[in-house]
Amino acid sequence: INAEYGLDSNFALSQNLYGRHQNMLELLKQLQSANLGSRAYCLVSGKPGIGKSALIKALVTFAPTQGCVAFGKYVHYTKVPFYALREALRGLVHRKINVLNKEELESWKNRICYAFDYSG
């Protein structure tokens, strides 16, 4: 952003959530319920730009270490079926794999290869 628009180089958008307190409480309630053994599925919807992604990113920072949050984002012009679900699962697997040590990672690799009868 330059002087042409009247903003300096230190300009930054706020990372705070505004007007989403009730939404966050409901999501945290569902997360707590899931951590106690029940199943929870939440759909966050709304018009573009109202903070849906920011709300979910904030929720992820509150997610307890024993639980997890999977999230995907619908892309309007994609022709990929179940795109948001695919992205949710991809992100979940990626976050879980990144915390494994080498032995655990090798063990999971072997399990997956066995399950798909893959020897390569």
Side-chain angles (χ1 to χ4, degrees):
I1 302 176
N2 59 34
E4 178 182 345
Y5 299 104
L7 300 172
D8 65 24
S9 61
N10 294 326
F11 175 78
L13 293 174
S14 172
Q15 297 301 313
N16 294 329
L17 294 175
Y18 296 99
R20 290 294 197 156
H21 182 72
Q22 278 304 121
N23 299 118
M24 181 59 82
L25 287 177
E26 182 60 33
L27 290 171
L28 288 170
K29 180 177 151 188
Q30 293 296 325
L31 182 61
Q32 181 182 25
S33 177
N35 283 331
L36 294 174
S38 67
R39 294 184 178 119
Y41 171 81
C42 299
L43 178 64
V44 178
S45 64
K47 294 181 180 180
I50 63 168
K52 298 177 300 291
S53 295
L55 178 66
I56 299 303
K57 287 176 185 175
L59 176 68
V60 170
T61 64
F62 290 117
T65 56
Q66 71 272 13
C68 63
V69 175
F71 57 93
K73 188 173 184 177
Y74 173 74
V75 177
H76 186 68
Y77 295 106
T78 186
K79 294 184 183 200
V80 178
F82 303 104
Y83 181 81
L85 179 59
R86 184 187 81 171
E87 292 304 302
L89 294 174
R90 176 182 285 168
L92 179 62
V93 168
H94 186 262
R95 285 191 308 278
K96 291 297 181 182
I97 284 177
N98 279 342
V99 298
L100 298 177
N101 64 41
K102 207 172 198 176
E103 293 80 23
E104 291 171 321
L105 191 57
E106 188 65 28
S107 173
W108 274 105
K109 177 185 171 189
N110 291 337
R111 288 184 203 173
I112 292 168
C113 288
Y114 178 77
F116 287 99
D117 195 30
Y118 180 76
S119 59

